[in-house]
Amino acid sequence: MIEARIAQIVPCTEAEGPFQRMAIWFQGCPLRCAGCCNPEFLPFSGGELWSVQDLISLMLESQKKNQIEGISLLGGEPFAHAQAAVQIAQAAQKNHLGVMVYSGYTLEQLQARPEPEIHELLAAIDLLVDGPYDRTLPETERRWIGSQNQRVHFLTPRYDPADPCWRLRNTLEIRVRGNEISVNGFPAQQALGLWKRPKTLKSEKRPRE
Ligand code: SF4
């Protein structure tokens, strides 16, 4: 199995998509959206190298322990790590977990790409949030979405666009482990602005692509 460069992992969260999910942030994004919430996740260096098998094992452990409904792949840019992402997504679906992916590319841009792994990843996604984050168009109505230009594609019937969960308020999750604080969800950026940033702060801010 191949390795993946990973920026952050939250084994169980309700702030990165419907129901309880494991969220995996890839390290590295070729795009440069102004106002990107995760600038530390943009370089393709950094983060930690994980074997995909270990990521899958962690996912299955969280399924058993937390009864997660699915996984969310974020970034960074998951499609820039498609070879690893497709293996994780296929393993999730094989184990009856839903797959949600946030991408800074539009669906049409992805469909026009020649790489087979891009198409394999698209085929393994239930929910795709697409398009670059636009800080001039902040989203205030749709939960889990960063800017109004971004679209939610229900690529399989697994999730229901009419589910009221899409219109509930966004949530922010803060975890304290020892001397490390981690934050994920929306509006993480605003919340972080309220604190004096600890040296050990590890941000799990949602990229909102
Ligand atoms: S918002 Fe997402 S797609 Fe845009 S630069 Fe940041 S990580 Fe990349």
Side-chain angles (χ1 to χ4, degrees), residues 29 31-33 36 42 75-77 104 133 207 209:
C29 175
L31 305 176
R32 290 295 180 269
C33 307
C36 170
L42 299 184
E77 168 54 52
Y133 172 66
E209 299 305 341

Side-chain angles (χ1 to χ4, degrees), residues 83-98:
Q83 287 188 341
V86 72
Q87 292 191 14
I88 299 165
Q90 287 175 345
Q93 291 201 322
K94 191 175 158 195
N95 287 281
H96 314 291
L97 292 168

Side-chain angles (χ1 to χ4, degrees), residues 37 133 138 172 185-195 205:
C37 298
Y133 172 66
L172 182 70
F186 187 85
Q189 201 169 26
Q190 290 90 328
L192 287 168
L194 299 176
W195 301 341
K205 294 168 293 182

